[in-house]
Amino acid sequence: MSTATNALRFGFLMFPAFEELDLVGPWEMATMGQAYAGGPQCVTVAETLGEVRCAKGLRVLPEHDYDSIGALDYLLVPGGFSAFEAAKNPRTLDFVRRQAAGAQAVLSVCSGAFILQAAGLLQGRRATTHWKAIPGLRALGVAVEEERFVHDGLVWTSAGVSAGIDMMLAFIAHTAGEQAAYLTQFNAEYYPDGQRHGSPQTHPEAPDYVRRLGVA
């Protein structure tokens, strides 16, 4: 039974070839929070209302375009290889800036951090991104922390792909409280069991949080 009573609106940005789980993972947590803990209304938005084909072939239809969405209280920006092209799109950058100006928080997953950087939202802030993209984000002058997710002011950023799920759950706890996070996590049955394959902590490019997996 839904207990959603919150008038706040949470927008999830779509652009061509975004990484599916970057958006769908946080969307699942946020909509669980909406259904069971009275969380914000969740909506999708893209530059146009046409079909968006994701990185792995999933095809989705946004509910709103940049002109029809109105003001959002929260905005999540996914990543993927195509995020580097999206970060060059003046309309997308203008949309992110305009929303950030009135939003309570802006979040990114994976290489979505490069869109936030291009929009000027990471200046003077700590952030993170996918391990492959850490050198590139540092080269742009961002203070990158090799963590699963980083919260600095109104900006939340996460590492790659699945890390957005953990970030969103932490975001819910931060903004709505432990009870809301509990209800979200319990109904999603999201309890990672710690299973890992191989020794990712020994990879020469493993970020700090992955290297700590090998510490007893």
Side-chain angles (χ1 to χ4, degrees):
M1 178 178 176
S2 174
T3 61
T5 59
N6 201 325
L8 298 174
R9 299 171 74 228
F10 202 139
F12 289 73
L13 179 63
M14 296 177 169
F15 50 83
F18 73 84
E19 188 70 33
E20 284 90 336
L21 195 61
D22 283 11
L23 187 146
V24 175
W27 171 273
E28 186 68 29
M29 292 296 111
T31 53
M32 280 287 184
Q34 178 184 354
Y36 293 101
Q41 175 192 6
C42 298
V43 295
T44 54
V45 59
E47 184 174 4
T48 66
L49 291 176
E51 179 182 279
V52 178
R53 189 177 183 89
C54 306
K56 304 299 193 301
L58 182 69
R59 295 181 293 178
V60 295
L61 287 173
E63 299 171 81
H64 301 276
D65 61 18
Y66 293 168
D67 297 323
S68 69
I69 187 69
L72 295 166
D73 299 285
Y74 311 112
L75 176 67
L76 182 134
V77 179
F81 289 113
S82 66
F84 300 104
E85 287 303 311
K88 300 174 185 176
N89 183 332
R91 290 202 68 215
T92 295
L93 297 182
D94 180 65
F95 171 76
V96 172
R97 290 188 194 103
R98 286 189 289 108
Q99 291 295 341
Q104 297 182 32
V106 179
L107 304 85
S108 71
V109 180
C110 195
S111 53
F114 286 80
I115 297 175
L116 299 194
Q117 189 279 331
L121 300 184
L122 297 187
Q123 185 172 0
R125 297 188 189 277
R126 296 170 294 109
T128 193
T129 188
H130 192 286
W131 64 265
K132 291 181 181 178
I134 286 173
L137 195 60
R138 281 189 173 136
L140 294 172
V142 178
V144 177
E145 294 188 355
E146 298 179 24
E147 301 296 339
R148 190 121 171 105
F149 59 86
V150 173
H151 172 209
D152 190 340
L154 65 82
V155 176
W156 294 67
T157 55
S158 85
V161 197
S162 66
I165 300 173
D166 294 350
M167 175 183 69
M168 182 59 71
L169 194 58
F171 176 78
I172 292 170
H174 179 80
T175 57
E178 282 297 315
Q179 179 68 8
Y182 154 69
L183 289 169
T184 299
Q185 186 175 39
F186 186 66
N187 282 283
E189 291 198 271
Y190 180 65
Y191 300 104
D193 64 7
Q195 176 67 44
R196 63 179 184 268
H197 301 277
S199 301
Q201 70 274 14
T202 66
H203 191 286
E205 296 180 86
D208 288 344
Y209 87 88
V210 172
R211 292 181 188 280
R212 290 198 295 271
L213 294 176
V215 178

